[in-house]
Amino acid sequence: AAAQPLPHTGTPAWAPRHCPYRAAQGIGHSLAGARLGVTHLWNWRLAQWVREGYADCVGLGGDVDVTALYARYRAHDPKFDFKKTGQYTLFRLLTAYFIQREHWSVDRLLTSEMSEEEAVQRMNAGLSKI
């Protein structure tokens, strides 16, 4: 698939950023907002890794291979740097890790107040043997 420029940086956004993904990701944001209520309007009170990671996982239909994604993270794949790429790859990995490996419910994820740094430390401790 051809890369589409990101609106804020002009950096190409590679697959899966296609129309069905975008629609499902938007639905993920809507589901989180509906679950959390008006006090979390637009989910801005959520940590970015939770807000975007959950929506990204929904956009991908929940099909996230934590082991493969973590191997890319450990290999310093540049797509894990959101500030440079605009990709939600790290956020997707963190979300999938907590749901799949630590067996968190979506409610627990959405109500977590864990910072991105804390989440990364916990994931690294849990996956250090991979």
Coordinates of all heavy atoms in Angstrom, one line a residue, residues 44-124:
W44 N -9.3 12.6 26.6 CA -8.0 13.3 26.8 C -7.5 13.1 28.2 O -6.3 13.4 28.4 CB -8.2 14.8 26.6 CG -8.5 15.0 25.1 CD1 -9.6 15.6 24.6 CD2 -7.7 14.7 24.0 NE1 -9.6 15.6 23.2 CE2 -8.4 15.1 22.8 CE3 -6.4 14.1 23.9 CZ2 -7.8 14.9 21.6 CZ3 -5.9 14.0 22.6 CH2 -6.6 14.3 21.5
R45 N -8.2 12.6 29.1 CA -7.7 12.3 30.5 C -6.9 11.0 30.5 O -6.1 10.8 31.4 CB -8.8 12.3 31.5 CG -9.4 13.6 31.8 CD -10.3 13.5 33.0 NE -10.8 14.9 33.2 CZ -11.8 15.1 34.1 NH1 -12.3 14.1 34.8 NH2 -12.2 16.3 34.3
L46 N -7.1 10.2 29.5 CA -6.3 8.9 29.4 C -4.9 9.2 29.0 O -4.6 10.1 28.3 CB -6.9 8.0 28.4 CG -8.3 7.5 28.6 CD1 -8.8 6.7 27.4 CD2 -8.3 6.6 29.8
A47 N -4.0 8.4 29.5 CA -2.6 8.5 29.1 C -2.6 8.2 27.6 O -3.4 7.4 27.1 CB -1.7 7.5 29.8
Q48 N -1.7 8.9 26.9 CA -1.6 8.7 25.4 C -1.5 7.2 25.0 O -2.1 6.8 24.1 CB -0.5 9.5 24.8 CG -0.5 9.5 23.3 CD 0.6 10.3 22.7 OE1 1.7 10.4 23.3 NE2 0.4 10.8 21.5
W49 N -0.6 6.5 25.7 CA -0.4 5.1 25.4 C -1.7 4.3 25.5 O -1.9 3.4 24.7 CB 0.7 4.5 26.2 CG 0.5 4.1 27.6 CD1 0.6 4.9 28.7 CD2 -0.1 2.9 28.1 NE1 0.3 4.2 29.9 CE2 -0.2 3.0 29.5 CE3 -0.5 1.7 27.5 CZ2 -0.6 2.0 30.3 CZ3 -0.9 0.7 28.3 CH2 -1.0 0.8 29.7
V50 N -2.6 4.6 26.5 CA -3.8 3.9 26.6 C -4.8 4.4 25.5 O -5.4 3.5 24.8 CB -4.4 4.1 28.0 CG1 -5.8 3.5 28.1 CG2 -3.5 3.5 29.1
R51 N -5.0 5.7 25.4 CA -5.9 6.2 24.4 C -5.6 5.7 23.0 O -6.5 5.2 22.3 CB -5.9 7.8 24.5 CG -6.8 8.5 23.6 CD -6.7 10.0 23.7 NE -5.5 10.5 23.3 CZ -4.6 11.1 24.1 NH1 -4.9 11.3 25.4 NH2 -3.4 11.6 23.7
E52 N -4.4 5.9 22.6 CA -4.1 5.5 21.2 C -3.8 4.1 21.0 O -4.1 3.5 20.0 CB -2.9 6.4 20.7 CG -3.1 7.9 20.7 CD -4.3 8.3 19.8 OE1 -4.8 7.5 19.0 OE2 -4.8 9.5 20.0
G53 N -3.2 3.4 22.0 CA -3.0 2.0 22.0 C -4.2 1.2 21.9 O -4.4 0.2 21.1
Y54 N -5.2 1.5 22.7 CA -6.5 0.8 22.7 C -7.2 1.0 21.3 O -7.6 0.0 20.7 CB -7.4 1.2 23.8 CG -8.8 0.6 23.7 CD1 -8.9 -0.8 24.0 CD2 -9.9 1.3 23.4 CE1 -10.2 -1.4 23.9 CE2 -11.2 0.8 23.3 CZ -11.3 -0.6 23.5 OH -12.5 -1.2 23.4
A55 N -7.3 2.2 20.8 CA -7.9 2.5 19.6 C -7.2 1.8 18.4 O -7.8 1.3 17.5 CB -8.0 4.0 19.3
D56 N -5.8 1.8 18.5 CA -5.1 1.1 17.5 C -5.3 -0.4 17.5 O -5.5 -1.0 16.4 CB -3.6 1.4 17.7 CG -2.7 1.2 16.5 OD1 -3.1 1.7 15.4 OD2 -1.7 0.5 16.6
C57 N -5.4 -1.0 18.6 CA -5.7 -2.4 18.7 C -7.1 -2.7 18.2 O -7.3 -3.7 17.4 CB -5.6 -2.9 20.2 SG -3.9 -3.1 20.7
V58 N -8.1 -1.9 18.5 CA -9.4 -2.1 17.9 C -9.3 -1.9 16.4 O -9.9 -2.7 15.6 CB -10.4 -1.1 18.5 CG1 -11.7 -1.1 17.8 CG2 -10.6 -1.4 20.0
G59 N -8.6 -0.9 15.9 CA -8.4 -0.7 14.5 C -7.9 -1.9 13.8 O -8.2 -2.2 12.6
L60 N -7.0 -2.7 14.5 CA -6.4 -3.9 13.9 C -7.2 -5.1 14.2 O -6.8 -6.2 13.9 CB -5.0 -4.0 14.4 CG -4.0 -3.0 13.9 CD1 -2.7 -3.1 14.7 CD2 -3.8 -3.1 12.4
G61 N -8.4 -5.0 14.8 CA -9.2 -6.1 15.1 C -8.7 -6.9 16.2 O -9.0 -8.1 16.4
G62 N -7.8 -6.4 17.1 CA -7.2 -7.1 18.2 C -6.2 -8.1 17.8 O -5.6 -8.8 18.6
D63 N -5.8 -8.1 16.5 CA -4.8 -9.0 16.0 C -3.4 -8.5 16.2 O -2.8 -7.8 15.3 CB -5.0 -9.3 14.6 CG -4.1 -10.4 14.0 OD1 -3.6 -11.2 14.8 OD2 -3.9 -10.4 12.8
V64 N -2.8 -8.6 17.4 CA -1.5 -8.1 17.8 C -0.6 -9.3 18.3 O -1.0 -9.9 19.3 CB -1.6 -7.0 18.8 CG1 -0.2 -6.4 19.2 CG2 -2.5 -5.8 18.3
D65 N 0.5 -9.5 17.6 CA 1.4 -10.5 18.1 C 2.4 -9.9 19.0 O 3.4 -9.2 18.6 CB 2.1 -11.1 16.9 CG 3.1 -12.3 17.2 OD1 3.5 -12.4 18.4 OD2 3.4 -13.1 16.3
V66 N 2.2 -10.0 20.3 CA 3.1 -9.3 21.3 C 4.5 -9.8 21.2 O 5.4 -9.0 21.2 CB 2.5 -9.6 22.7 CG1 3.5 -9.1 23.8 CG2 1.2 -8.9 22.9
T67 N 4.7 -11.1 21.0 CA 6.1 -11.6 20.9 C 6.9 -11.0 19.7 O 8.0 -10.5 19.9 CB 6.1 -13.1 20.8 OG1 5.4 -13.6 22.0 CG2 7.5 -13.7 20.8
A68 N 6.3 -11.0 18.6 CA 6.9 -10.4 17.4 C 7.1 -8.9 17.5 O 8.2 -8.4 17.1 CB 6.1 -10.7 16.1
L69 N 6.1 -8.2 18.0 CA 6.2 -6.8 18.2 C 7.3 -6.4 19.2 O 8.0 -5.5 19.0 CB 4.8 -6.2 18.6 CG 4.5 -4.8 18.2 CD1 4.7 -4.5 16.7 CD2 3.1 -4.5 18.6
Y70 N 7.3 -7.2 20.3 CA 8.3 -6.9 21.3 C 9.8 -7.1 20.8 O 10.7 -6.4 21.1 CB 8.1 -7.8 22.6 CG 9.0 -7.4 23.7 CD1 8.9 -6.1 24.4 CD2 10.0 -8.2 24.2 CE1 9.7 -5.8 25.4 CE2 10.8 -7.9 25.2 CZ 10.7 -6.7 25.8 OH 11.5 -6.3 26.9
A71 N 9.9 -8.1 19.9 CA 11.2 -8.4 19.3 C 11.6 -7.2 18.5 O 12.8 -6.8 18.5 CB 11.2 -9.7 18.5
R72 N 10.7 -6.6 17.7 CA 11.0 -5.4 17.0 C 11.4 -4.2 17.9 O 12.3 -3.4 17.6 CB 9.8 -5.0 16.1 CG 9.6 -5.9 14.9 CD 8.4 -5.6 14.1 NE 8.3 -4.1 13.8 CZ 7.2 -3.5 13.6 NH1 6.0 -4.2 13.6 NH2 7.2 -2.2 13.4
Y73 N 10.7 -4.1 19.0 CA 10.9 -3.1 20.0 C 12.4 -3.2 20.5 O 13.1 -2.2 20.6 CB 9.9 -3.1 21.1 CG 10.2 -2.3 22.3 CD1 10.0 -0.9 22.3 CD2 10.7 -2.8 23.5 CE1 10.3 -0.1 23.4 CE2 11.0 -2.1 24.6 CZ 10.8 -0.7 24.5 OH 11.1 0.1 25.6
R74 N 12.7 -4.4 20.9 CA 14.0 -4.7 21.5 C 15.1 -4.5 20.4 O 16.3 -4.2 20.8 CB 14.1 -6.1 22.0 CG 13.2 -6.4 23.1 CD 13.7 -5.9 24.4 NE 14.9 -6.6 24.7 CZ 15.6 -6.5 25.8 NH1 15.1 -5.7 26.8 NH2 16.7 -7.1 26.1
A75 N 14.8 -4.6 19.1 CA 15.8 -4.4 18.1 C 15.8 -2.9 17.7 O 16.5 -2.5 16.7 CB 15.4 -5.2 16.8
H76 N 15.1 -2.0 18.4 CA 15.1 -0.6 18.2 C 14.6 -0.2 16.9 O 15.1 0.7 16.2 CB 16.5 0.0 18.4 CG 17.1 -0.4 19.7 ND1 16.7 0.2 20.9 CD2 18.1 -1.2 20.1 CE1 17.4 -0.3 21.9 NE2 18.2 -1.2 21.5
D77 N 13.5 -0.8 16.5 CA 12.8 -0.5 15.2 C 12.3 1.0 15.4 O 11.7 1.4 16.4 CB 11.5 -1.4 15.1 CG 10.7 -1.1 13.8 OD1 10.7 0.0 13.3 OD2 10.1 -2.1 13.3
P78 N 12.7 1.9 14.4 CA 12.3 3.3 14.5 C 10.8 3.6 14.5 O 10.4 4.7 15.0 CB 13.0 3.9 13.3 CG 13.3 2.8 12.4 CD 13.4 1.6 13.2
K79 N 10.0 2.6 14.1 CA 8.5 2.9 14.1 C 8.0 2.9 15.6 O 6.8 3.3 15.7 CB 7.8 1.8 13.3 CG 8.1 2.0 11.8 CD 7.3 1.0 11.0 CE 7.6 1.1 9.6 NZ 6.9 0.1 8.8
F80 N 8.8 2.6 16.6 CA 8.3 2.7 17.9 C 8.5 4.1 18.5 O 8.1 4.4 19.6 CB 9.1 1.7 18.8 CG 8.6 0.3 18.6 CD1 9.0 -0.4 17.5 CD2 7.7 -0.3 19.5 CE1 8.6 -1.7 17.3 CE2 7.2 -1.5 19.2 CZ 7.6 -2.3 18.2
D81 N 9.1 5.0 17.8 CA 9.3 6.4 18.2 C 8.1 7.3 17.7 O 8.2 7.8 16.6 CB 10.6 6.9 17.8 CG 11.0 8.3 18.4 OD1 10.0 9.0 18.8 OD2 12.1 8.6 18.4
F82 N 7.1 7.4 18.5 CA 5.9 8.2 18.1 C 6.2 9.6 17.6 O 5.7 10.1 16.6 CB 4.8 8.2 19.2 CG 3.7 9.1 18.9 CD1 2.7 8.7 18.0 CD2 3.6 10.4 19.4 CE1 1.6 9.5 17.6 CE2 2.5 11.2 19.1 CZ 1.5 10.7 18.2
K83 N 7.1 10.3 18.4 CA 7.5 11.7 18.1 C 8.1 11.8 16.7 O 7.9 12.9 16.1 CB 8.4 12.2 19.1 CG 7.6 12.4 20.5 CD 8.5 13.0 21.5 CE 7.8 13.1 22.8 NZ 8.6 13.5 23.9
K84 N 8.8 10.8 16.2 CA 9.4 10.9 14.9 C 8.5 10.4 13.8 O 8.7 10.8 12.6 CB 10.8 10.2 14.9 CG 11.8 10.9 15.7 CD 13.1 10.1 15.6 CE 14.2 10.8 16.5 NZ 15.5 10.1 16.4
T85 N 7.7 9.4 14.1 CA 7.0 8.7 13.0 C 5.5 8.9 13.0 O 4.8 8.7 12.0 CB 7.2 7.2 13.1 OG1 6.6 6.7 14.3 CG2 8.7 6.8 13.0
G86 N 4.9 9.3 14.2 CA 3.5 9.4 14.3 C 2.8 8.0 14.4 O 1.6 7.9 14.3
Q87 N 3.6 7.0 14.5 CA 3.0 5.6 14.5 C 2.7 5.3 16.0 O 3.4 5.7 16.9 CB 4.1 4.6 14.0 CG 4.4 4.8 12.6 CD 3.4 4.3 11.6 OE1 2.9 3.2 11.8 NE2 3.2 5.0 10.5
Y88 N 1.6 4.5 16.2 CA 1.2 4.1 17.5 C 1.8 2.7 17.9 O 1.2 2.0 18.8 CB -0.3 4.0 17.6 CG -1.0 5.3 17.2 CD1 -2.1 5.3 16.4 CD2 -0.6 6.5 17.7 CE1 -2.8 6.5 16.1 CE2 -1.2 7.7 17.4 CZ -2.3 7.7 16.6 OH -3.0 8.8 16.3
T89 N 2.9 2.3 17.3 CA 3.4 1.0 17.5 C 3.7 0.6 18.9 O 3.3 -0.4 19.4 CB 4.7 0.8 16.6 OG1 4.4 1.3 15.3 CG2 5.0 -0.7 16.5
L90 N 4.4 1.5 19.7 CA 4.7 1.3 21.1 C 3.4 1.2 21.9 O 3.2 0.4 22.7 CB 5.6 2.3 21.6 CG 5.9 2.2 23.1 CD1 6.5 0.8 23.5 CD2 6.8 3.3 23.6
F91 N 2.5 2.1 21.6 CA 1.2 2.2 22.4 C 0.4 0.9 22.1 O -0.2 0.3 23.0 CB 0.4 3.4 21.9 CG 1.1 4.7 22.0 CD1 0.8 5.7 21.1 CD2 2.1 4.9 22.9 CE1 1.5 6.9 21.2 CE2 2.8 6.1 23.0 CZ 2.5 7.1 22.1
R92 N 0.4 0.4 20.9 CA -0.2 -0.9 20.5 C 0.4 -2.0 21.3 O -0.3 -2.9 21.9 CB -0.2 -1.1 19.0 CG -0.8 -2.4 18.6 CD -0.6 -2.7 17.1 NE -0.4 -1.6 16.3 CZ 0.6 -1.5 15.4 NH1 1.4 -2.5 15.2 NH2 0.8 -0.4 14.7
L93 N 1.7 -2.1 21.3 CA 2.4 -3.1 22.0 C 2.1 -3.1 23.5 O 1.8 -4.1 24.1 CB 3.9 -3.0 21.8 CG 4.8 -3.9 22.7 CD1 4.5 -5.4 22.4 CD2 6.3 -3.6 22.4
L94 N 2.1 -1.9 24.1 CA 1.8 -1.8 25.6 C 0.4 -2.3 25.9 O 0.2 -3.1 26.8 CB 2.0 -0.4 26.1 CG 3.5 0.1 26.1 CD1 3.5 1.6 26.4 CD2 4.3 -0.7 27.1
T95 N -0.5 -1.8 25.1 CA -1.9 -2.2 25.3 C -2.1 -3.7 25.1 O -2.7 -4.4 26.0 CB -2.8 -1.4 24.3 OG1 -2.7 -0.1 24.5 CG2 -4.3 -1.9 24.4
A96 N -1.6 -4.3 24.0 CA -1.7 -5.7 23.8 C -1.0 -6.5 24.9 O -1.5 -7.5 25.4 CB -1.1 -6.1 22.4
Y97 N 0.1 -6.0 25.4 CA 0.8 -6.7 26.5 C -0.1 -6.8 27.7 O -0.2 -7.9 28.3 CB 2.1 -6.0 26.8 CG 2.7 -6.5 28.1 CD1 3.4 -7.7 28.2 CD2 2.5 -5.8 29.3 CE1 3.8 -8.2 29.4 CE2 3.0 -6.3 30.5 CZ 3.7 -7.5 30.5 OH 4.1 -8.0 31.7
F98 N -0.6 -5.7 28.1 CA -1.4 -5.7 29.4 C -2.7 -6.6 29.2 O -3.1 -7.3 30.1 CB -1.8 -4.3 29.8 CG -0.6 -3.7 30.5 CD1 0.2 -2.8 29.8 CD2 -0.2 -4.1 31.8 CE1 1.3 -2.2 30.5 CE2 0.9 -3.5 32.4 CZ 1.7 -2.6 31.7
I99 N -3.3 -6.5 28.0 CA -4.5 -7.3 27.8 C -4.2 -8.8 27.6 O -4.9 -9.6 28.2 CB -5.3 -6.7 26.6 CG1 -5.9 -5.4 27.0 CG2 -6.4 -7.7 26.2 CD1 -6.6 -4.6 25.9
Q100 N -3.2 -9.1 26.8 CA -2.9 -10.5 26.5 C -2.1 -11.2 27.6 O -2.3 -12.3 27.9 CB -2.2 -10.6 25.2 CG -3.1 -10.2 24.0 CD -2.3 -10.3 22.7 OE1 -1.3 -11.0 22.6 NE2 -2.8 -9.6 21.7
R101 N -1.1 -10.5 28.0 CA -0.1 -11.2 28.9 C -0.4 -11.0 30.4 O -0.2 -11.9 31.2 CB 1.3 -10.7 28.7 CG 1.8 -11.0 27.2 CD 1.9 -12.5 27.0 NE 2.2 -12.8 25.6 CZ 3.4 -13.0 25.1 NH1 4.5 -12.9 26.0 NH2 3.6 -13.3 23.9
E102 N -1.0 -9.8 30.8 CA -1.3 -9.6 32.2 C -2.8 -9.8 32.4 O -3.3 -9.6 33.5 CB -0.8 -8.2 32.7 CG 0.7 -8.1 32.7 CD 1.3 -7.2 33.7 OE1 0.5 -6.7 34.5 OE2 2.5 -7.0 33.7
H103 N -3.5 -10.1 31.4 CA -4.9 -10.5 31.4 C -5.8 -9.3 32.0 O -6.7 -9.6 32.7 CB -5.1 -11.8 32.2 CG -4.3 -12.9 31.7 ND1 -4.5 -13.5 30.4 CD2 -3.2 -13.4 32.2 CE1 -3.6 -14.4 30.2 NE2 -2.7 -14.4 31.3
W104 N -5.4 -8.1 31.7 CA -6.2 -7.0 32.1 C -7.5 -6.9 31.3 O -7.5 -7.3 30.1 CB -5.5 -5.7 31.8 CG -4.5 -5.3 32.8 CD1 -3.8 -6.1 33.7 CD2 -3.9 -4.0 33.0 NE1 -2.9 -5.4 34.5 CE2 -2.9 -4.1 34.1 CE3 -4.1 -2.8 32.5 CZ2 -2.2 -3.0 34.5 CZ3 -3.4 -1.7 32.9 CH2 -2.4 -1.8 33.9
S105 N -8.6 -6.5 31.9 CA -9.8 -6.2 31.2 C -9.7 -4.9 30.5 O -8.8 -4.1 30.9 CB -11.0 -6.2 32.1 OG -10.9 -5.1 33.0
V106 N -10.5 -4.6 29.5 CA -10.5 -3.3 28.9 C -10.8 -2.2 30.0 O -10.2 -1.1 30.0 CB -11.5 -3.2 27.7 CG1 -11.7 -1.8 27.2 CG2 -11.1 -4.2 26.6
D107 N -11.8 -2.5 30.9 CA -12.1 -1.5 31.9 C -10.8 -1.2 32.8 O -10.6 0.0 33.1 CB -13.2 -2.1 32.9 CG -14.6 -1.9 32.3 OD1 -14.7 -1.1 31.4 OD2 -15.5 -2.6 32.8
R108 N -10.1 -2.2 33.1 CA -8.9 -2.0 33.9 C -7.9 -1.1 33.1 O -7.2 -0.2 33.6 CB -8.2 -3.3 34.3 CG -7.0 -3.0 35.2 CD -6.5 -4.3 35.8 NE -5.3 -4.0 36.6 CZ -4.5 -4.9 37.2 NH1 -4.8 -6.2 37.0 NH2 -3.4 -4.5 37.8
L109 N -7.7 -1.4 31.8 CA -6.8 -0.6 31.0 C -7.3 0.8 30.9 O -6.5 1.7 31.1 CB -6.8 -1.2 29.6 CG -5.9 -0.4 28.6 CD1 -4.5 -0.7 28.8 CD2 -6.3 -0.8 27.1
L110 N -8.6 1.0 30.7 CA -9.1 2.4 30.5 C -9.1 3.2 31.8 O -9.1 4.4 31.8 CB -10.5 2.4 29.9 CG -10.6 1.8 28.5 CD1 -12.1 1.8 28.1 CD2 -9.8 2.7 27.5
T111 N -9.1 2.5 32.9 CA -9.0 3.2 34.2 C -7.6 3.3 34.8 O -7.5 3.9 35.9 CB -10.0 2.6 35.2 OG1 -9.7 1.3 35.4 CG2 -11.5 2.8 34.7
S112 N -6.7 2.7 34.1 CA -5.3 2.7 34.6 C -4.8 4.1 34.6 O -5.0 4.9 33.6 CB -4.4 1.8 33.8 OG -3.1 2.0 34.1
E113 N -4.0 4.5 35.6 CA -3.4 5.8 35.6 C -1.9 5.6 35.5 O -1.1 6.6 35.8 CB -3.7 6.6 36.9 CG -5.2 6.9 36.9 CD -5.6 7.7 38.1 OE1 -4.7 8.1 38.9 OE2 -6.8 7.9 38.3
M114 N -1.5 4.5 35.0 CA 0.0 4.2 34.8 C 0.6 5.1 33.7 O 0.0 5.2 32.6 CB 0.1 2.7 34.4 CG 1.6 2.2 34.4 SD 1.8 0.5 34.0 CE 0.7 -0.3 35.2
S115 N 1.7 5.6 33.9 CA 2.4 6.5 32.9 C 3.0 5.5 31.9 O 3.1 4.3 32.1 CB 3.5 7.3 33.6 OG 4.6 6.5 33.9
E116 N 3.3 6.1 30.7 CA 3.9 5.3 29.7 C 5.3 4.7 30.2 O 5.6 3.6 29.9 CB 4.2 6.2 28.5 CG 4.8 5.5 27.3 CD 5.1 6.4 26.1 OE1 4.3 7.4 25.9 OE2 6.0 6.2 25.4
E117 N 6.0 5.5 30.9 CA 7.3 5.0 31.4 C 7.1 3.8 32.3 O 7.8 2.8 32.2 CB 8.1 6.1 32.1 CG 8.5 7.3 31.2 CD 7.4 8.2 30.8 OE1 6.3 8.3 31.6 OE2 7.5 8.9 29.8
E118 N 6.1 3.9 33.2 CA 5.8 2.8 34.1 C 5.4 1.6 33.3 O 5.8 0.4 33.6 CB 4.8 3.2 35.1 CG 5.2 4.2 36.1 CD 4.0 4.7 37.0 OE1 3.0 5.1 36.4 OE2 4.2 4.7 38.2
A119 N 4.6 1.8 32.3 CA 4.0 0.7 31.5 C 5.2 0.0 30.8 O 5.2 -1.2 30.7 CB 3.0 1.2 30.5
V120 N 6.1 0.8 30.2 CA 7.3 0.2 29.5 C 8.1 -0.6 30.5 O 8.5 -1.7 30.2 CB 8.1 1.3 28.8 CG1 9.4 0.8 28.4 CG2 7.3 1.9 27.6
Q121 N 8.4 -0.1 31.7 CA 9.2 -0.8 32.7 C 8.5 -2.1 33.0 O 9.2 -3.2 33.1 CB 9.4 0.0 33.9 CG 10.3 1.2 33.7 CD 10.4 2.1 34.9 OE1 9.7 1.9 35.9 NE2 11.3 3.0 34.9
R122 N 7.2 -2.1 33.2 CA 6.5 -3.3 33.6 C 6.5 -4.3 32.5 O 6.7 -5.5 32.7 CB 5.1 -2.9 34.0 CG 4.3 -4.1 34.6 CD 3.1 -3.5 35.4 NE 2.2 -4.6 35.7 CZ 1.1 -4.4 36.5 NH1 0.9 -3.3 37.0 NH2 0.3 -5.4 36.7
M123 N 6.3 -3.8 31.2 CA 6.3 -4.7 30.1 C 7.7 -5.4 30.0 O 7.8 -6.6 29.7 CB 6.0 -4.0 28.8 CG 6.1 -4.8 27.6 SD 5.9 -3.8 26.0 CE 7.4 -2.8 26.1
N124 N 8.8 -4.5 30.1 CA 10.1 -5.1 29.9 C 10.4 -6.1 31.0 O 11.0 -7.1 30.7 CB 11.2 -3.9 30.0 CG 11.2 -3.1 28.8 OD1 11.0 -3.6 27.7 ND2 11.6 -1.9 28.9

